[in-house]
Amino acid sequence: MRRDTFLKSLAALAAAGALPLPALAATNVKMMIPANPGGGWDTTGRALGKALMDSGAAATVTYDNKGGAAGALGLAQFVNGSKGDPNALMVMGAVMLGGLITGKPPVSLSQATPIARLTSEYNVFVLPANSPFKSMKEVIEQLKKDPGSVKWGGGSRGSTEHIAAAMIAREVGVDPSKINYVAFRGGGEATAAILGGNVTIGGSGYSEFSEYINSGKMKALAVTSETRLKGVNVPTLKEQGVNVVIGNWRGVYGAPGITAEQRKALTEMILKAVKSKSWIEASEKNNWTAAVLTGPAFDKFVDDDFASLRATMVKSGMI
């Protein structure tokens, strides 16, 4: 078939709806995951990539992991290397906002293009299976005696588990600036440190630790939700007399400098992907709560959450 005839046929098929337009517009989505493999952002990004392909919203998806500084290193690479690219996406969320507040990196999230909030999740605090502590109460008693002796392990500085640890300290009368927080570049590193007993207590999204909790390799102490998580027999901090509630959400941004039409196309791709069977299955498996938000409402949400997190971090003595 002659090339011009083939192109005309392709155009006719697209116009007739026989070919998914998003797939034509984005033959290869480039997914920036601003964390090392094995954590929540990595799991989210790869589940989203699979959903984009399974739903026909994208033909292929490639991934680039760049961990460090609560996602700020990946954000810098994304902002500087993806300008105007209509097929580029970056996983992000509350952890990145916290990291940007504490780290003050040379690039700003506002340089990239908001696309969608995807999920909401709460954190869980855990002990290694061989820990001498048996409860959150015992950990807190030790924290009161000697704050530096309790090593809190989790994501980068400014992550929701870091903020939660500072909030817990403040609530029980300990100077939050004295907590001994050990930051890791990705969920895989944090998990290894907890399993190896290299930290006293660890925190992360429940989905990241669920298999280790279920197998008995970690002991779950508390979740950071208002009420107990569905199907999860772990008490909240509030149930244990510690008035701390903090959620974690994840979303995606597009590249800097894309047009309004390109932003709309990416948004439509995401909305198509989150309706797919593979995304729904991934959400159920990881205990993610659907929290899809797009357009101006998502823009406002990010601005409001920045302000809220900053206020919480100031109150908790983190900044």
Side-chain angles (χ1 to χ4, degrees):
M1 181 184 291
R2 287 176 49 189
R3 183 173 181 275
D4 58 344
T5 304
F6 171 75
L7 291 175
K8 287 177 182 177
S9 300
L10 195 64
L13 285 169
L19 290 175
L21 287 174
L24 293 174
T27 55
N28 178 26
V29 168
K30 285 162 271 186
M31 185 85 69
M32 163 57 70
I33 300 174
N36 288 354
W41 280 349
D42 188 57
T43 303
T44 301
R46 291 175 190 276
L48 180 61
K50 184 176 187 302
L52 284 166
M53 290 187 289
D54 288 353
S55 67
T60 61
V61 179
T62 56
Y63 306 92
D64 186 7
N65 286 83
K66 180 71 175 179
L73 297 184
L75 172 64
Q77 182 174 310
F78 184 73
V79 165
N80 295 323
S82 301
K83 292 176 182 176
D85 187 342
N87 298 335
L89 287 171
M90 177 188 70
V91 182
M92 50 76 66
V95 171
M96 180 174 284
L97 271 57
L100 293 175
I101 292 168
T102 58
K104 300 177 177 62
V107 294
S108 168
L109 183 61
S110 63
Q111 291 173 260
T113 305
I115 301 298
R117 185 182 68 189
L118 300 172
T119 62
S120 178
E121 186 179 27
Y122 288 97
N123 288 349
V124 62
F125 283 106
V126 300
L127 296 173
N130 62 353
S131 171
F133 300 106
K134 302 301 178 187
S135 66
M136 180 60 80
K137 181 182 178 182
E138 291 183 10
V139 173
I140 288 174
E141 286 173 355
Q142 181 62 31
L143 181 70
K144 289 179 177 178
K145 290 177 188 175
D146 182 4
S149 68
V150 177
K151 293 173 69 175
W152 302 78
S156 303
R157 286 186 58 81
S159 63
T160 49
E161 55 267 28
H162 184 194
I163 297 171
M167 292 170 73
I168 290 169
R170 181 179 178 276
E171 281 294 315
V172 301
V174 174
D175 182 351
S177 67
K178 292 184 178 179
I179 66 170
N180 182 3
Y181 186 80
V182 183
F184 295 95
R185 289 165 63 95
E189 292 178 16
T191 298
I194 296 163
L195 293 174
N198 298 319
V199 294
T200 310
I201 181 172
S204 191
Y206 189 87
S207 64
E208 294 181 48
F209 291 160
S210 60
E211 66 175 288
Y212 303 103
I213 293 169
N214 293 337
S215 66
K217 294 179 179 178
M218 292 181 183
K219 176 178 174 58
L221 300 183
V223 289
T224 63
S225 50
E226 184 75 37
T227 58
R228 291 199 184 198
L229 302 178
K230 183 180 179 181
V232 175
N233 187 29
V234 179
T236 66
L237 284 165
K238 288 188 74 172
E239 280 182 68
Q240 301 177 70
V242 184
N243 189 25
V244 169
V245 175
I246 184 169
N248 186 12
W249 59 269
R250 299 189 183 110
V252 284
Y253 264 52
I258 61 174
T259 66
E261 282 302 310
Q262 289 168 337
R263 177 182 177 179
K264 181 181 177 184
L266 280 176
T267 302
E268 289 173 352
M269 287 172 59
I270 296 299
L271 292 175
K272 185 174 183 180
V274 298
K275 294 174 184 174
S276 70
K277 182 181 178 182
S278 69
W279 179 257
I280 292 169
E281 288 175 346
S283 295
E284 291 175 352
K285 176 185 176 183
N286 293 295
N287 205 31
W288 295 334
T289 300
V292 179
L293 193 67
T294 64
F298 180 49
D299 300 357
K300 183 178 186 301
F301 169 81
V302 173
D303 290 342
D304 290 348
D305 204 42
F306 251 126
S308 176
L309 282 174
R310 184 182 296 277
T312 298
M313 292 164 85
V314 169
K315 187 177 180 182
S316 299
M318 294 179 65
I319 56 175

